[in-house]
Amino acid sequence: MEPRLTDRLRVVVILSVILSTGSGESDRDLKFCGTWRHSKTLLSLSVNLSPGCKGISISADENTLAINGQITAQCLRYEVIPLHQIGLDSEEEINFCLYWEPLLDQLKLQLGERNLTLCWPASLQGSCCTYLSDGPSQPEAPYGIINGMVRTDFITHKTRRAYNFSGAPVACNELCQEASHGPAQVNMIKGTAEDLCTRSFEVEMKEDFGGCNLTTPGSILTSEEPSTTVHLPPALKQAAKETSKVVCTFFKNNSLFQEGQKNVRILNDVVGISVENEVITDLPEPIRIGFHHEAIAKMHSRKCVSWDTRKDPLQVNWLVDGCVTLERGDQHTECHCNHLTYFSVLVQLEPRPVRHLLALTVITSVGCVVSAISCVALIIFLCKKSIRCKDQSTPIHLGLAVSLALLNLLFFFTGILANIGGESLCTWVGAGLHYALLSSFSWMAIEVFHTFWLVYMVFSPLPKGICKLWSMVGFGLPAVPIIILAAVGDIYGLREVVPSNDVSNPYVMCWMKATYKALLAHYFTNMTILVVLVSSGFVMLFLVYRKIHTRDEWKQSRVAFLSIWGLSCLYGTTWGLTFLDFGPLSDFVLFLSCILNSFQGFLLMLRFYMLEWMRKQAGGSAPGSNSTGSTRQNMLQPQEKS
C-alpha cells in the first residue's frame, strides 16, 4: 500500500507544480470578470486606489461594487460614483470586467455597457505590479459577485463577497526583456509589451530650446518603420513655467483608447504629450503630429482629436477642439494642436458627412413643394383630358405624376415625421418613401419605353389592354420588394445624415437604416433599378437617333425632337448623376443632382406645356390625337418612295 500512496502523492505534487506554473504565466496582467448581484437600490461604485504593490480587492454587497488596493505606479484615486449618473441603476444584475495593464499603469472597468478608465495610461514606469494571484476564497453570501473568472478560467458559480489578488513588484524593463523573448515567456495582451517598452521620450527643454522633432521608434521584435512624428515648438518652453521636462509617449494598442461607439474608431497610433503638474493650453505655435496609417477610403471622414478628461475623467471623450486636421493623402494625416494631452485620428466608419447639407436641404424642400404642386396640377389636367379623348399614353403620364407627387410629399415631411414620431413611425414612413421611389422609377421606365415604341416603331399602336399591365408594373411590382424587406425587418427606421460642419447635430429622416442589411437592400433595389433605367434610356435614344438622323425632317426639326426626347429621358438620367459624385466636381454634381431631381415634378409639367405649345404651333390636332404631339408625327412618318 505504501508504494501506491507514494506514487499518488507524487502525481499530486507534479500536478500542483504544473497548475501553479500555468497560473503564474496567465496572471502577468489581470482580466477579472463576474456578475454583480445587488439589491437594485442606491447602487454605487467605490474606487480607492493608491501606488504600491500589495494587491487589489474586488468586492461587492447589496449596494456597492468596490475596487480597492495598492497596485499602481503613480495613479491615485478615491471616488464614490452613484450608478444612476451613468445609467446603470435599473439593471437587476450587472456584468463587469476589470482590466489591469502593468506596463501602462492603466486600470479599466467595463461595467455593463460602460467603459470606465480608473487609471489613465502612462509612460513606462520603473516598477510594474504583476504576477497577480487569487487569494483565499471568501464565504458565500446572498449579495456579491457570482460567476467569477480570471481570463477564461472559471473560479466558482457561488456568490462571493470579494476576490483578492496579491501582486509582486517587478522592474518594468525586465518585463519588457521577457516579452522580447516571445509570447511563451510572458502571457500578455498581444502587442502591448513590445509596443510600449521603447515608446517613451523625456525631452529636456533648455534655455535655448528651439523646438524638437520626435519619431516613433522601431519595435523590439520587428524592424518597423516609424509611423508617427511629433514636432514640439519653441513656444512650449515659454508655456511650461514650473518645469523644463516634457514626456512624449507613443501608444500602439488602440483598444485602450477606443471610444466605445460603433460608428467611429481610433487609429492604431495614439500620442500622449504631457508636462508634469502643469496644464498647457492655447499655444501660440501648435504642436505638429504626423500619423502615417493604413489607407482610409474617401467615403470615410477623419479628424484629429484629443482626449478630454475634464468632462468625465472616468470615460474616454475624444474632442476636435484645439486641433486642425490636414489630410496629406489617404495614408497620412497631420494634426496641429494647441494643447497637451493624448492625440489620435478618429475615423468615421459610416459614410463621410455631407457638405453643404443646409443648402441642399433648403433646395430639396423648395423643389419638393414646387414639384408636388406641379404634379397635382398635372393630375387634374390629365384627368380632364382623359374624359375628352382616349389616349394610350395618358394613363402612363398620370401614373408617373401620381408616384412623383407621393414621393415629393413624403420626402418633404420625412424630417418632420422623424422628429415627431421617432423610430416606430419611421418604420412605416421609410417603407412608404421607398415604395414611392421604386414606383417613380418604374413609371419612368414605362415612359421611356412608351416613347421609344412610338418613335422607333413609327407610331404603331400598342396592344389593347396594355394600360392594366402598366398599372401592375408601375404600382404593383414595387410593392413586392417592400413587403419582402419589411418581413426581413431592421431595414426601415430613423436615419441620421451628418453635416460636415457640425457632426454633433445630424439631420434625422425616415429612410433605410445605416445597417449592413439596409445597405444590401439599397444596392439590390435602388441602385440596380437605377442602372437599368439610365442605361436603357441612353440605349433607346441611340437606336432612335440611328434610325431617323438621315431624314430631311430630322434636319428641320432636330431641336424639337431633342427637346421632347431629352425631357422624356430626363426622368431617369438625372438620377444617374449619383454615380458621378466624386473628384473635384463632386460638389457641382451634388447640387445639380439635387436641383434636377427635386424639381422633377415641375419638369414633368414643363414637358407637357412644351408638347401642348408645339401642337398648337403645328396647327392643332384632330380630336383623339395623342399627347406626344403632331410635330413628331409629321417629322417621323415614313418617307414616301419616289
Side-chain angles (χ1 to χ4, degrees):
M1 294 294 293
E2 291 184 0
R4 291 183 180 179
L5 181 60
T6 304
D7 292 339
R8 290 178 182 176
L9 289 174
R10 187 177 301 168
V11 171
V12 171
V13 171
I14 293 173
L15 287 175
S16 300
V17 172
I18 293 174
L19 291 174
S20 64
T21 304
S23 176
E25 288 185 0
S26 63
D27 292 333
R28 302 297 177 90
D29 48 11
L30 177 65
K31 176 185 176 182
F32 174 78
C33 298
T35 301
W36 176 22
R37 177 174 290 170
H38 51 74
S39 63
K40 308 177 188 177
T41 57
L42 300 176
L43 303 181
S44 62
L45 171 66
S46 175
V47 181
N48 187 3
L49 299 170
S50 59
C53 196
K54 291 184 178 181
I56 188 169
S57 172
I58 304 103
S59 61
D61 56 23
E62 60 268 29
N63 302 115
T64 304
L65 175 67
I67 312 294
N68 303 307
Q70 295 179 339
I71 194 175
T72 66
Q74 64 177 13
C75 177
L76 180 65
R77 178 181 291 278
Y78 176 76
E79 191 170 3
V80 177
I81 306 165
L83 291 193
H84 68 84
Q85 294 183 359
I86 55 178
L88 292 175
D89 57 334
S90 61
E91 300 185 21
E92 295 185 358
E93 293 182 347
I94 302 177
N95 297 321
F96 70 91
C97 282
L98 185 71
Y99 302 90
W100 165 242
E101 297 284 350
L103 286 172
L104 290 170
D105 199 36
Q106 183 187 38
L107 191 65
K108 290 181 63 177
L109 176 64
Q110 182 180 356
L111 191 62
E113 296 181 354
R114 296 302 182 101
N115 293 317
L116 307 177
T117 303
L118 306 182
C119 290
W120 306 335
S123 58
L124 196 65
Q125 303 296 310
S127 177
C128 292
C129 190
T130 182
Y131 299 106
L132 298 173
S133 58
D134 189 13
S137 60
Q138 299 291 318
E140 194 171 354
Y143 297 104
I145 302 171
I146 61 174
N147 301 326
M149 297 177 62
V150 175
R151 295 185 180 274
T152 57
D153 297 331
F154 184 77
I155 300 176
T156 180
H157 66 277
K158 297 180 179 180
T159 305
R160 287 169 55 170
R161 282 284 189 181
Y163 286 84
N164 299 309
F165 296 89
S166 58
V170 176
C172 295
N173 290 331
E174 294 181 6
L175 202 60
C176 290
Q177 292 175 4
E178 291 182 11
S180 65
H181 289 90
Q185 300 292 326
V186 179
N187 188 9
M188 305 192 72
I189 294 177
K190 184 178 180 181
T192 301
E194 62 179 79
D195 285 335
L196 290 176
C197 290
T198 61
R199 294 182 180 268
S200 182
F201 292 98
E202 186 178 274
V203 178
E204 181 76 25
M205 296 184 295
K206 299 180 180 180
E207 293 296 331
D208 57 346
F209 181 73
C212 180
N213 294 318
L214 305 173
T215 60
T216 309
S219 174
I220 292 176
L221 305 181
T222 62
S223 56
E224 180 186 336
E225 293 293 333
S227 58
T228 307
T229 60
V230 175
H231 172 74
L232 302 177
L236 185 58
K237 169 63 179 176
Q238 303 172 4
K241 300 178 180 178
E242 299 181 4
T243 182
S244 60
K245 292 182 180 180
V246 57
V247 178
C248 183
T249 306
F250 298 90
F251 298 94
K252 195 70 176 177
N253 190 353
N254 64 355
S255 64
L256 307 170
F257 296 90
Q258 288 295 348
E259 195 172 15
Q261 299 183 13
K262 296 181 179 180
N263 59 340
V264 296
R265 71 176 177 91
I266 293 292
L267 290 185
N268 288 336
D269 297 286
V270 176
V271 177
I273 307 175
S274 61
V275 173
E276 187 176 2
N277 298 325
E278 285 196 56
V279 177
I280 306 297
T281 58
D282 298 325
L283 289 171
E285 183 181 355
I287 296 172
R288 299 197 303 268
I289 308 170
F291 293 98
H292 296 267
H293 45 72
E294 59 185 12
I296 298 175
K298 291 184 177 180
M299 65 179 297
H300 299 307
S301 67
R302 48 182 147 150
K303 51 193 175 184
C304 296
V305 291
S306 60
W307 190 0
D308 176 35
T309 57
R310 296 167 298 176
K311 182 178 180 181
D312 188 351
L314 290 175
Q315 299 194 53
V316 177
N317 298 294
W318 292 104
L319 298 178
V320 297
D321 300 343
C323 288
V324 177
T325 305
L326 300 176
E327 298 182 7
R328 304 297 190 186
D330 58 354
Q331 295 182 333
H332 183 200
T333 304
E334 189 169 304
C335 303
H336 291 188
C337 303
N338 63 0
H339 58 288
L340 302 186
T341 182
Y342 299 97
F343 303 97
S344 188
V345 176
L346 194 69
V347 180
Q348 190 84 15
L349 298 183
E350 292 183 353
R352 178 186 292 270
V354 180
R355 290 178 300 220
H356 317 295
L357 181 60
L358 179 60
L360 293 172
T361 303
V362 172
I363 293 173
T364 303
S365 300
V366 174
C368 286
V369 172
V370 173
S371 292
I373 296 173
S374 301
C375 287
V376 171
L378 183 58
I379 291 171
I380 296 173
F381 168 77
L382 291 174
C383 289
K384 292 181 178 180
K385 185 175 181 180
S386 63
I387 298 175
R388 296 195 309 265
C389 61
K390 300 298 181 180
D391 181 15
Q392 286 184 336
S393 62
T394 301
I396 300 176
H397 306 326
L398 189 60
L400 179 57
V402 170
S403 62
L404 280 178
L406 179 62
L407 177 64
N408 284 283
L409 284 173
L410 283 176
F411 198 87
F412 178 78
F413 287 107
T414 181
I416 301 173
L417 295 175
N419 286 282
I420 295 177
E423 185 71 33
S424 58
L425 181 61
C426 269
T427 302
W428 296 94
V429 176
L433 183 60
H434 192 200
Y435 169 78
L437 180 65
L438 295 183
S439 179
S440 299
F441 284 168
S442 299
W443 282 110
M444 292 174 201
I446 295 172
E447 279 277 8
V448 173
F449 175 78
H450 183 254
T451 308
F452 165 76
W453 181 275
L454 290 176
V455 176
Y456 197 76
M457 302 304 293
V458 197
F459 287 88
S460 298
L462 289 166
K464 294 183 179 180
I466 196 70
C467 293
K468 294 182 179 179
L469 178 61
W470 293 149
S471 298
M472 292 178 59
V473 174
F475 290 124
L477 188 61
V480 176
I482 303 301
I483 295 173
I484 295 175
L485 293 177
V488 171
D490 198 32
I491 301 293
Y492 304 109
L494 282 174
R495 179 66 178 267
E496 291 185 350
V497 183
V498 182
S500 59
N501 58 343
D502 187 6
V503 295
S504 62
N505 187 25
Y507 173 79
V508 183
M509 64 177 294
C510 297
W511 181 234
M512 291 181 168
K513 294 182 178 180
T515 61
Y516 182 72
K517 287 195 300 183
L519 183 63
L520 287 179
H522 168 68
Y523 279 106
F524 277 107
T525 56
N526 303 333
M527 301 306 290
T528 302
I529 295 175
L530 193 57
V531 169
V532 174
L533 178 63
V534 174
S535 58
S536 62
F538 282 114
V539 169
M540 291 181 181
L541 178 61
F542 172 74
L543 293 176
V544 171
Y545 170 76
R546 190 176 65 173
K547 183 169 184 176
I548 67 173
H549 77 283
T550 57
R551 298 185 180 182
D552 294 336
E553 292 86 351
W554 161 257
K555 298 177 182 179
Q556 298 172 4
S557 306
R558 67 180 66 183
V559 174
F561 172 78
L562 286 177
S563 299
I564 299 169
W565 181 257
L567 285 173
S568 299
C569 291
L570 190 65
Y571 305 141
T573 52
T574 56
W575 293 86
L577 291 172
T578 306
F579 303 111
L580 303 178
D581 185 16
F582 62 88
L585 297 178
S586 60
D587 287 345
F588 171 76
V589 172
L590 188 62
F591 274 93
L592 181 63
S593 174
C594 179
I595 293 172
L596 292 178
N597 292 328
S598 60
F599 283 88
Q600 193 169 13
F602 172 75
L603 295 175
L604 180 64
M605 187 185 68
L606 180 63
R607 172 184 185 267
F608 280 91
Y609 169 79
M610 291 185 63
L611 288 175
E612 188 70 16
W613 176 79
M614 293 175 65
R615 184 184 64 81
K616 293 179 180 180
Q617 290 294 318
S621 58
S625 62
N626 60 49
S627 65
T628 53
S630 58
T631 301
R632 284 193 304 166
Q633 187 170 2
N634 293 332
M635 181 182 72
L636 299 174
Q637 63 186 358
Q639 289 179 310
E640 297 181 359
K641 296 183 180 180
S642 57

